[in-house]
Amino acid sequence: MGSQTTLTVATPERMSRLGRDLAALLRPGDLVLLSGELGAGKTTLTRGLGEGLGVRGAVTSPTFVIARVHPSLTGGPALVHVDAYRLGGGLDEMEDLDLDVSLPESVVVVEWGEGKVEQLSEDRLEVRIERALGGAESEDDSDPRRVRVSGLGGRWDGVDLGVLGDS
């Protein structure tokens, strides 16, 4: 069944910290699926995750390259940051990207991956980011976000995702 937690993230700084906290729970081979509207904070979260994993290179939205690999500077797993927004075929196209990295030895974070990459692994962490106030019209990045983190599959059984809300 896995585990789940929902938290309110008030600022971009807190979103980045959530990414760092999340990094502490991740291990090689983990798949993280990020969903949320444009500007919800997916890349900010991933940037914090990259900091937490100690990877090289600035984490930015990989929109134009589809996938970007950030090698570890600390001997840990590489971060593979994928933007699946324009990936139509899902898994096959992911494999065609010919990433110069072994996915089982990396942490793979996929933005816009819903309905496209779930078959990569039955064990995955799904992170859904929504504006807490529901006002999508607002251009203001300082709106609080509601973040639901769900661990699916045996890998996440017994993992206490509640620790994410502690900091």
Side-chain angles (χ1 to χ4, degrees), residues 4-17:
Q4 183 171 318
T5 189
T6 301
L7 41 150
T8 299
V9 176
T11 63
E13 293 74 26
R14 178 67 185 91
M15 186 69 77
S16 185
R17 192 164 79 229

Side-chain angles (χ1 to χ4, degrees), residues 94-156:
M94 268 286 290
E95 288 172 345
D96 290 346
L97 291 177
D98 194 28
L99 301 172
D100 60 341
V101 68
S102 166
L103 296 182
E105 293 164 16
S106 307
V107 169
V108 180
V109 176
V110 183
E111 295 188 32
W112 304 104
E114 274 182 311
K116 297 178 182 174
V117 298
E118 284 87 349
Q119 68 261 47
L120 274 176
S121 175
E122 59 188 37
D123 293 322
R124 63 185 178 275
L125 201 58
E126 293 188 350
V127 181
R128 172 174 292 283
I129 305 172
E130 297 168 340
R131 293 177 192 271
L133 306 175
E137 295 79 39
S138 170
E139 292 296 311
D140 186 4
D141 274 352
S142 63
D143 282 355
R145 305 296 198 257
R146 186 178 306 108
V147 181
R148 190 173 67 238
V149 183
S150 307
L152 305 177
R155 152 72 178 98
W156 295 100

Side-chain angles (χ1 to χ4, degrees), residues 3-136:
S3 56
Q4 183 171 318
T5 189
T6 301
L7 41 150
T8 299
V9 176
T11 63
E13 293 74 26
R14 178 67 185 91
M15 186 69 77
S16 185
R17 192 164 79 229
L18 174 61
R20 291 194 298 275
D21 293 348
L22 209 49
L25 298 177
L26 296 174
R27 57 188 191 211
D30 281 346
L31 172 66
V32 180
L33 215 56
L34 294 182
S35 60
E37 66 202 27
L38 218 49
K42 297 182 296 296
T43 301
T44 302
L45 180 81
T46 306
R47 191 172 297 130
L49 219 148
E51 288 171 16
L53 290 173
V55 300
R56 188 177 79 218
V59 173
T60 57
S61 181
T63 303
F64 296 106
V65 293
I66 297 183
R68 192 174 275 130
V69 176
H70 299 275
S72 175
L73 295 172
T74 60
L79 171 65
V80 179
H81 185 199
V82 180
D83 185 330
Y85 190 69
R86 289 191 313 280
L87 277 186
L91 187 60
D92 296 337
E93 255 181 279
M94 268 286 290
E95 288 172 345
D96 290 346
L97 291 177
D98 194 28
L99 301 172
D100 60 341
V101 68
S102 166
L103 296 182
E105 293 164 16
S106 307
V107 169
V108 180
V109 176
V110 183
E111 295 188 32
W112 304 104
E114 274 182 311
K116 297 178 182 174
V117 298
E118 284 87 349
Q119 68 261 47
L120 274 176
S121 175
E122 59 188 37
D123 293 322
R124 63 185 178 275
L125 201 58
E126 293 188 350
V127 181
R128 172 174 292 283
I129 305 172
E130 297 168 340
R131 293 177 192 271
L133 306 175

